[in-house]
Amino acid sequence: MTKSNSDLSESTPKSPSDHRPRPSRPIDTGIRTKIAGTGSYLPEKLLTNVDLEKMVETNDQWIRERTGIEQRHLAADHQVTSDLALVASQRALEMAGMTAQDLDAILFCTVSGDQIMPASACVLQTKLGAKHVMAFDLSAACSGFVYGVSVADSLIRTRMFKTVLVVGAEVLHRFVNYKDRETCILFGDGAGAAVLTAADVNEDSRIYSAHLRADGSLGDLFVLPAGGSAMPFTHQVLDDGLGYVRMKGREIFKNAVRTMSDVCQEALDINGMSIDQIDWLIPHQANLRIIEAVGKHFGIPAEKVVINVQRTGNTSAATVPIAFDEAVRDGRIRRGQHVLLTAFGAGLTSGSVLLKF
Ligand code: ACO
């Protein structure tokens, strides 16, 4: 249905200071999106805190106390980001009872794709053997999967496509300076995927709403300076370590807790739900203390929060789908349960998705 002028004026910012997106429920098109299958993949190679003790001035106790992380998985030398994504995608398709031929679109959420061009989504398309799809990369850093689910849901509900693969995959360790103790302890590699499809009318599973935000004014808190048009690679640039991520950890920490709490509250308010009705909270796995602070903010019992950061470290866009898939496969998350996904990342970006699995 077309919006009337008076409808539109209600959602138009009234003054320059009134820029905050108006929270709203998605327009009801009569189509509902469900998550038909999930999959994930963590490479075999491990980097433990004890390994890191030999590389930089740090120690296992500090890392555990400040981050909760005990180990991270690293891609083998021959593996690229699309290889990790391929396994996660195949597993998600298998759970959905589908093949690559059922896909209409591939959204590859990553900030560490195989190369700048072509899109890793197109590489993955070829590896999967998916013939007739639209494919593109989505760059929202650690919020990538949450952004991707929202975009896929919109594409499905507006009848543009029926079935969309959303993958979050990273090989971030190749962009980390193993001489910088503040960043190198945090990141790991991995991939998670979900197949989203239009639900049948009699099905209960659905995505209720997504709430996405960005604040580019805080972009300098987490950056990968070189490799783009602003700073092409030169010998000097590489010698200066500008091909590695740089971070202001303490500021990110504070923003992460605030923004994830805000977007989760928005999801609850818009859907008229309370935190008691949420069966599972799946937050971005960056730091156990950030996760605990968000859980505490909502008073959600610790056993309802899916946490795997101890084993995986921060895999950026892959953390939420990996945690989701692990909890589905080990029987914690069951059909009919309410799941709240939330993430924050470089940009700064943040978002939440409320769904019934
Ligand atoms: N080992 C030992 N000491 C360390 C280490 C380390 N690996 N790293 C820093 N320190 C030192 C610091 O130098 C500092 O020393 P000082 O007091 O002498 O100056 C001290 O430990 C405390 O440093 P803080 O920065 O206050 O430590 P904090 O408790 O904030 O923990 C951390 C740091 C773990 C980085 C935390 O701030 C954090 O997790 N922030 C969020 C980071 C994040 O999520 N980044 C990615 C976001 S975007 C995305 O997910 C893609």
Side-chain angles (χ1 to χ4, degrees):
M1 201 170 76
T2 318
K3 274 194 153 200
S4 70
N5 283 342
S6 60
D7 287 334
L8 284 171
S9 66
E10 277 169 29
S11 59
T12 305
K14 295 191 170 43
S15 72
S17 60
D18 189 16
H19 282 317
R20 196 156 169 244
R22 293 287 165 86
S24 60
R25 287 177 80 100
I27 297 163
D28 187 358
T29 61
I31 307 274
R32 286 173 181 160
T33 305
K34 70 165 182 177
I35 296 197
T38 60
S40 61
Y41 171 70
L42 290 164
E44 272 175 38
K45 191 173 159 188
L46 289 179
L47 180 70
T48 65
N49 293 351
V50 176
D51 295 329
L52 283 163
E53 284 179 0
K54 296 170 199 147
M55 299 159 73
V56 283
E57 199 185 326
T58 191
N59 60 76
D60 177 47
Q61 191 189 347
W62 191 97
I63 302 173
R64 281 174 196 255
E65 283 177 8
R66 300 293 179 119
T67 71
I69 300 168
E70 296 164 20
Q71 62 170 41
R72 324 95 196 107
H73 293 253
L74 300 190
D77 290 346
H78 67 274
Q79 288 179 309
V80 295
T81 312
S82 61
D83 293 327
L84 277 52
L86 176 65
V87 183
S89 303
Q90 287 168 329
R91 289 175 179 170
L93 282 165
E94 191 185 10
M95 187 190 286
M98 294 185 190
T99 71
Q101 303 319 316
D102 294 309
L103 296 175
D104 301 310
I106 297 174
L107 271 64
F108 198 129
C109 313
T110 188
V111 285
S112 57
D114 294 4
Q115 50 212 88
I116 288 181
M117 196 173 63
S120 297
C122 298
V123 180
L124 178 62
Q125 173 196 4
T126 306
K127 288 182 178 176
L128 278 169
K131 291 266 184 270
H132 306 290
V133 294
M134 178 219 20
F136 67 93
D137 288 0
L138 192 158
S139 173
C142 306
S143 309
F145 183 77
V146 169
Y147 267 57
V149 167
S150 171
V151 173
D153 175 43
S154 306
L155 292 169
I156 292 167
R157 282 189 303 97
T158 53
R159 298 172 203 258
M160 188 153 171
F161 295 122
K162 185 166 180 230
T163 303
V164 181
L165 172 69
V166 183
V167 195
E170 308 278 7
V171 177
L172 262 183
H173 94 266
R174 298 207 175 115
F175 303 92
V176 166
N177 183 353
Y178 283 94
K179 290 180 181 152
D180 173 10
R181 67 179 182 173
E182 204 185 331
T183 52
C184 75
I185 58 157
L186 297 176
F187 298 102
D189 304 334
V195 176
L196 277 65
T197 194
D200 290 336
V201 277
N202 55 350
E203 283 183 297
D204 209 17
S205 299
R206 76 184 77 161
I207 290 173
Y208 289 105
S209 63
H211 306 271
L212 307 180
R213 290 192 194 166
D215 184 354
S217 70
L218 298 174
D220 66 339
L221 295 187
F222 190 64
V223 289
L224 177 49
S229 63
M231 194 185 289
F233 286 123
T234 62
H235 290 292
Q236 189 61 50
V237 160
L238 291 175
D239 289 347
D240 291 344
L242 295 164
Y244 297 122
V245 295
R246 293 186 168 198
M247 182 184 84
K248 295 179 185 157
R250 220 173 296 177
E251 286 88 337
I252 291 179
F253 192 111
K254 280 186 271 177
N255 265 282
V257 175
R258 185 176 52 75
T259 54
M260 285 203 289
S261 300
D262 281 358
V263 287
C264 285
Q265 190 61 53
E266 194 170 295
L268 294 174
D269 291 347
I270 288 299
N271 292 287
M273 289 173 74
S274 69
I275 196 73
D276 311 339
Q277 293 170 277
I278 301 299
D279 296 294
W280 296 104
L281 174 67
I282 308 182
H284 173 43
Q285 313 282 313
N287 181 318
L288 187 58
R289 286 158 56 216
I290 295 176
I291 295 170
E292 286 173 348
V294 174
K296 199 171 156 202
H297 175 88
F298 284 108
I300 187 165
E303 57 274 16
K304 285 182 160 190
V305 184
V306 181
I307 302 175
N308 65 4
V309 70
Q310 301 93 327
R311 288 183 288 107
T312 62
N314 180 348
T315 58
S316 188
T319 71
V320 171
I322 292 172
F324 198 159
D325 180 54
E326 287 182 351
V328 168
R329 284 177 194 267
D330 67 21
R332 275 176 290 168
I333 296 181
R334 297 188 305 277
R335 287 283 172 199
Q337 291 188 322
H338 289 128
V339 181
L340 182 56
L341 315 177
T342 187
F344 72 95
L348 294 181
T349 56
S350 57
S352 66
V353 170
L354 181 58
L355 60 92
K356 185 181 272 194
F357 184 59

